[in-house]
Amino acid sequence: MSLLVCLLALAAVRGPHLFTSDGAAYAIVSAAPLIMATMALTPVAMAGRGGVDLAIGPLVGFVNVSLVFWLIKSGVTSPLLIIAFAIGVSVLFEVVQGLLIAGLRLQPVIVTLSGFLVLAGVNLMITDKPDGMAPAWLTAWGAPTSVFSPVTGVLVAGFVVWTLIARTSFFHNLRVMGFNERTAFASGVPLVLTRVGAHAIAGVYAGLAGVLYTSVIASGDPAFGQQYTLIVVTALLLGGISVGGGRGGALGAVVGAIDVFLISDALATFDFGAAASFVVQLVYGLILVLALAVGTVFTRSGLRRRRRHGRVEVHA
């Protein structure tokens, strides 16, 4: 939140257009795919065991190219069918990853890295270059014409669904499992179902992220997802969501995604010439390390306070 305040102040100086109605509409449309992708990572991270879904970037890219080159080129342009397909393939992929992690007890980083490599290859097999065209209604979604657009509606719906999930016993089980799997198992939490459920929720938001990204670029891009994972993980950590499990929520994901968008927008106001892309990657990497360091410091500080509080209670 402190970083968000600083970035908003920087935006007021370097890019005051963001505070106009047109600028706000542009910001919502541009940041929406990242917000959805960060929300997709949140339940997986909350599940614990260092579970960061490294395949999130290629998965969003797969939704993008499969929509453009499979459905739309075949004449399928119905909004309902496109959104259902995007969510369906994402949920299926995430459930498979969840079953491999929970059922076979494989390390999440190994499974998701394998998913990253598989999907990156599949995307390039579908098309080796940016091409194709999104339907008119989806292209209209990506046009920053109004703050109150269908994209805003998708974001609000995603947040409402998360709020409803957060009030269920499943969400409580997810947090308990993230904090300590042994304690969760002893408490009767169904570990396999809970972890697979977390991946299924991630699939829903990843599918929506793919649809929103397609609306922004209005075409298919097979190479997009290979760099997107770093951006989404950075947003996740800036949102205060613990990769160690047990802590996180939609609000943190939204704040982290907005932070990353504002960083990108601020960097775009500087002229780095041919080195612009390298500078952006450098900044993302530095912020990622800084976010991990700050999160570690706060976590250790919180543990020390809880231990001191526990000793005081025992003494009393």
Side-chain angles (χ1 to χ4, degrees):
M1 293 298 295
S2 301
L3 178 61
L4 177 61
V5 173
C6 294
L7 290 171
L8 287 173
L10 179 61
V13 176
R14 299 291 305 181
H17 65 282
L18 288 178
F19 297 92
T20 65
S21 58
D22 290 340
Y26 157 77
I28 291 173
V29 169
S30 301
L34 180 58
I35 292 174
M36 287 287 104
T38 308
M39 291 180 71
L41 276 193
T42 301
V44 178
M46 290 180 63
R49 291 175 59 189
V52 177
D53 189 357
L54 299 178
I56 183 65
L59 178 56
V60 174
F62 173 74
V63 172
N64 167 238
V65 294
S66 62
L67 285 179
V68 173
F69 290 93
W70 288 354
L71 263 68
I72 297 170
K73 275 198 171 183
S74 300
V76 179
T77 58
S78 166
L80 182 60
L81 291 178
I82 286 178
I83 294 174
F85 173 83
I87 293 177
V89 295
S90 298
V91 169
L92 177 61
F93 178 82
E94 286 290 349
V95 166
V96 170
Q97 286 196 137
L99 288 172
L100 291 174
I101 294 170
L104 300 181
R105 303 293 297 176
L106 300 178
Q107 289 297 321
V109 64
I110 301 300
V111 174
T112 58
L113 178 59
S114 300
F116 177 102
L117 297 173
V118 169
L119 287 180
V122 170
N123 293 344
L124 289 172
M125 289 176 62
I126 295 175
T127 178
D128 59 353
K129 60 181 180 180
D131 199 358
M133 183 176 295
W137 68 267
L138 193 53
T139 303
W141 278 25
T145 55
S146 173
V147 173
F148 303 101
S149 64
V151 172
T152 304
V154 173
L155 291 176
V156 172
F159 198 85
V160 169
V161 169
W162 181 275
T163 302
L164 295 175
I165 293 173
R167 297 184 177 184
T168 63
S169 59
F170 164 81
F171 191 79
H172 172 74
N173 292 341
L174 179 63
R175 295 190 63 184
V176 172
M177 184 180 72
F179 276 120
N180 192 305
E181 277 199 6
R182 292 184 179 179
T183 301
F185 179 76
S187 302
V189 173
L191 300 183
V192 174
L193 289 179
T194 302
R195 187 170 296 275
V196 172
H199 279 269
I201 294 172
V204 173
Y205 287 98
L208 292 175
V211 172
L212 295 179
Y213 176 71
T214 304
S215 74
V216 172
I217 67 171
S219 62
D221 184 1
F224 155 77
Q226 298 183 25
Q227 297 181 353
Y228 204 58
T229 293
L230 172 63
I231 301 173
V232 180
V233 172
T234 303
L236 182 82
L237 295 176
L238 289 180
I241 299 164
S242 173
V243 295
R247 187 177 76 245
L251 181 60
V254 172
V255 171
I258 294 174
D259 282 343
V260 171
F261 167 76
L262 290 175
I263 291 169
S264 176
D265 187 75
L267 290 175
T269 63
F270 295 92
D271 184 13
F272 295 109
S277 61
F278 301 103
V279 172
V280 171
Q281 294 300 317
L282 174 63
V283 170
Y284 283 149
L286 292 175
I287 291 174
L288 185 59
V289 173
L290 180 62
L292 283 170
V294 172
T296 301
V297 170
F298 275 105
T299 300
R300 290 178 178 175
S301 177
L303 287 173
R304 284 195 294 268
R305 285 197 300 269
R306 286 195 293 270
R307 287 170 181 170
R308 286 198 298 268
H309 182 66
R311 285 197 294 267
V312 170
E313 286 185 345
V314 170
H315 179 70

